[in-house]
Amino acid sequence: PLYAQIGDTPVSIARYRSAMQRGHDSADVYNNLAWTLLEAGRLSDAQQTIQLGSQAHPGDQRLAATNAVLLYHAQQPGEAFDAFETLYGTAAAHHNLAILDLESDDVEGALEQLALATSSPNCPVQAIEMQNALTAEFNRQRVLTARRQASKTH
């Protein structure tokens, strides 16, 4: 991950692939390579890497979770939800989608997912806390916007 962290993505990808060719093909290597590819905007390559990793390491939860993230980025939120739900349950699946929505600057989508999470049994405390914080910030922004608009008309 070091090369990817310092912005040398091509070297990072090459090192992961080289390690895999030398037999160091743990689930972590597949997972890290997929994330590096995703961050480089190479979604299709990331998906292929996760598929190969999942074949080599069936049942690995990190690979399955990364697959859910890749499905979200591939504009397949229903499939992403199903994958997260299989791993973590309904409430946590909605919570994970809310996090991805926030990372995509979709605050309203995140609030919708958090409403679904908090109305589900076994809702993680983190989802409730996130919903409260996000709702407060969203309302604060609406008030500020309304004030700015009102001051422009006067």
Side-chain angles (χ1 to χ4, degrees):
L2 175 63
Y3 287 101
Q5 290 172 353
I6 62 172
D8 201 344
T9 303
V11 170
S12 180
I13 292 168
R15 290 183 62 94
Y16 282 125
R17 289 196 169 139
S18 174
M20 292 166 82
Q21 289 171 350
R22 292 191 318 266
H24 303 287
D25 60 347
S26 68
D28 286 340
V29 173
Y30 281 102
N31 193 64
N32 291 345
L33 175 56
W35 275 101
T36 302
L37 290 164
L38 175 63
E39 290 169 1
R42 295 171 56 182
L43 179 61
S44 178
D45 290 337
Q47 290 173 313
Q48 183 179 20
T49 298
I50 285 299
Q51 287 175 354
L52 292 171
S54 296
Q55 290 170 1
H57 304 279
D60 185 271
Q61 286 198 332
R62 283 188 63 206
L63 293 172
T66 299
N67 184 57
V69 171
L70 295 175
L71 288 166
Y72 175 88
H73 286 285
Q75 307 301 314
Q76 298 175 329
E79 290 85 345
F81 174 81
D82 292 344
F84 279 133
E85 186 177 38
T86 298
L87 285 167
Y88 308 127
T90 301
H94 286 297
H95 181 229
N96 276 281
L97 289 180
I99 292 168
L100 292 170
D101 282 341
L102 280 177
E103 289 175 354
S104 299
D105 294 325
D106 182 3
V107 176
E108 290 181 19
L111 285 169
E112 289 174 18
Q113 290 297 330
L114 290 168
L116 293 167
T118 57
S119 67
S120 299
N122 302 316
C123 178
V125 172
Q126 298 90 334
I128 297 166
E129 292 170 349
M130 181 185 286
Q131 182 185 37
N132 291 339
L134 196 56
T135 299
E137 179 60 21
F138 187 72
N139 288 335
R140 188 180 78 79
Q141 290 296 326
R142 288 176 53 200
V143 167
L144 290 174
T145 300
R147 285 182 184 165
R148 278 190 223 114
Q149 290 174 344
S151 69
K152 287 180 184 179
T153 61
H154 294 309

